């Protein structure tokens, strides 16, 4: 009788596991979560045939979606965000092999980025600031293994960097020098 009970238990567990796996692999629709426990969903995972297609989030809990990540072959491909919650997208995210590769931020909503961040294997390498009217690079910061090391600034926006700041591993300025052009 013990072996019969054990066999029935194993059979029930196998059926449950198969059903759960089948449901997960063939899921289509939206799974939602309430992150701040206010009884309103604010995080949404969209699936089709078991593949994650998109994540949407209401990060300030005002009832409006302000962040999107789009997936391809189970990896994030690109994303968008309304960081100041005004209803317009300011930030675009681009992924390579599932890791963040580049971020573009449009600070003045002219549909052109004024800040561009570059990453390698998901770690920040460089940030470039572009003048919103002149469209020239006026500041750049270089990173080594995600730590700020060198900053160059074009204070007069003439297209040539005027100042170079060097940083230590704690990201404190250790040397500042004028650049002769």
């Amino acid at each position: 009788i013990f072996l019969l009970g054990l066999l029935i238990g194993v059979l029930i567990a196998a059926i449950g596991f198969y059903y759960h796996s089948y449901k997960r692999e063939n899921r289509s629709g939206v799974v939602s979560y309430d992150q701040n426990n206010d009884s309103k969903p604010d995080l949404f995972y969209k699936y089709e045939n078991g593949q994650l297609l998109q994540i949407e989030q209401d990060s300030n809990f005002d009832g409006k979606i302000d962040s999107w990540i789009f997936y391809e072959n189970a990896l994030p491909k690109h994303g968008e965000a309304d960081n100041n919650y005004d209803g317009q997208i300011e930030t675009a995210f681009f992924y390579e092999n599932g890791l963040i590769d580049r971020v573009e931020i449009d600070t003045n909503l002219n549909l052109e980025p004024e800040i561009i961040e570059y990453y390698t294997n998901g770690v920040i390498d460089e940030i470039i600031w572009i003048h919103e009217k002149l469209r020239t690079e006026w500041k750049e910061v270089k990173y080594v293994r995600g730590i700020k090391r060198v900053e160059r600034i074009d204070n007069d926006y003439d297209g040539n960097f005027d100042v170079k700041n060097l940083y230590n591993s704690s990201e404190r300025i250790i040397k500042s020098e004028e650049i002769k052009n």
Side-chain angles (χ1 to χ4, degrees):
I1 226 165
F2 173 75
L3 288 176
L4 181 60
L6 183 63
L7 184 61
I8 291 172
V10 168
L11 184 61
I12 290 171
I15 291 170
F17 179 75
Y18 173 78
Y19 177 75
H20 174 74
S21 297
Y22 177 82
K23 275 289 262 185
R24 189 181 74 234
E25 291 172 10
N26 296 293
R27 175 185 307 169
S28 290
V30 177
V31 177
S32 60
Y33 299 94
D34 177 10
Q35 295 178 292
N36 63 343
N37 297 318
D38 66 353
S39 300
K40 295 182 228 165
D42 37 51
L43 181 62
F44 306 89
Y45 290 79
K46 294 185 178 184
Y47 293 90
E48 187 173 296
N49 297 323
Q51 290 290 315
L52 179 61
L53 297 180
Q54 182 177 336
I55 297 176
E56 296 180 347
Q57 183 177 18
D58 171 12
S59 52
N60 66 340
F61 311 114
D62 67 351
K64 299 175 190 161
I65 301 299
D66 42 51
S67 172
W68 300 260
I69 300 175
F70 302 94
Y71 286 74
E72 194 173 285
N73 298 321
L75 295 174
K77 199 66 178 164
H78 72 276
E80 303 172 337
D82 173 12
N83 294 328
N84 63 2
Y85 313 115
D86 67 351
Q88 294 186 302
I89 307 254
E90 296 89 28
T91 305
F93 305 91
F94 302 91
Y95 297 84
E96 192 67 40
N97 298 320
L99 297 172
I100 193 75
D101 182 63
R102 187 175 81 248
V103 176
E104 297 180 356
I105 304 168
D106 179 8
T107 60
N108 63 0
L109 302 176
N110 67 349
L111 304 177
E112 297 182 81
E114 284 75 44
I115 301 171
I116 303 173
E117 302 173 353
Y118 295 96
Y119 295 78
T120 299
N121 296 321
V123 178
I124 187 82
D125 272 335
E126 179 179 27
I127 303 177
I128 295 172
W129 283 259
I130 300 168
H131 192 280
E132 62 272 4
K133 290 185 179 148
L134 302 173
R135 301 306 303 161
T136 58
E137 186 178 317
W138 69 271
K139 181 178 174 181
E140 73 174 11
V141 176
K142 304 269 187 184
Y143 293 78
V144 175
R145 291 185 288 285
I147 298 171
K148 183 192 300 187
R149 297 316 291 244
V150 178
E151 172 183 60
R152 298 187 316 158
I153 303 170
D154 177 5
N155 287 320
D156 57 8
Y157 310 117
D158 68 352
N160 297 307
F161 291 112
D162 306 308
V163 176
K164 178 179 178 181
N165 297 318
L166 301 177
Y167 290 80
N168 66 12
S169 60
S170 299
E171 295 190 1
R172 288 195 310 249
I173 293 178
I174 55 173
K175 185 177 182 182
S176 185
E177 58 189 42
E178 283 189 36
I179 300 172
K180 305 291 184 207
N181 295 315

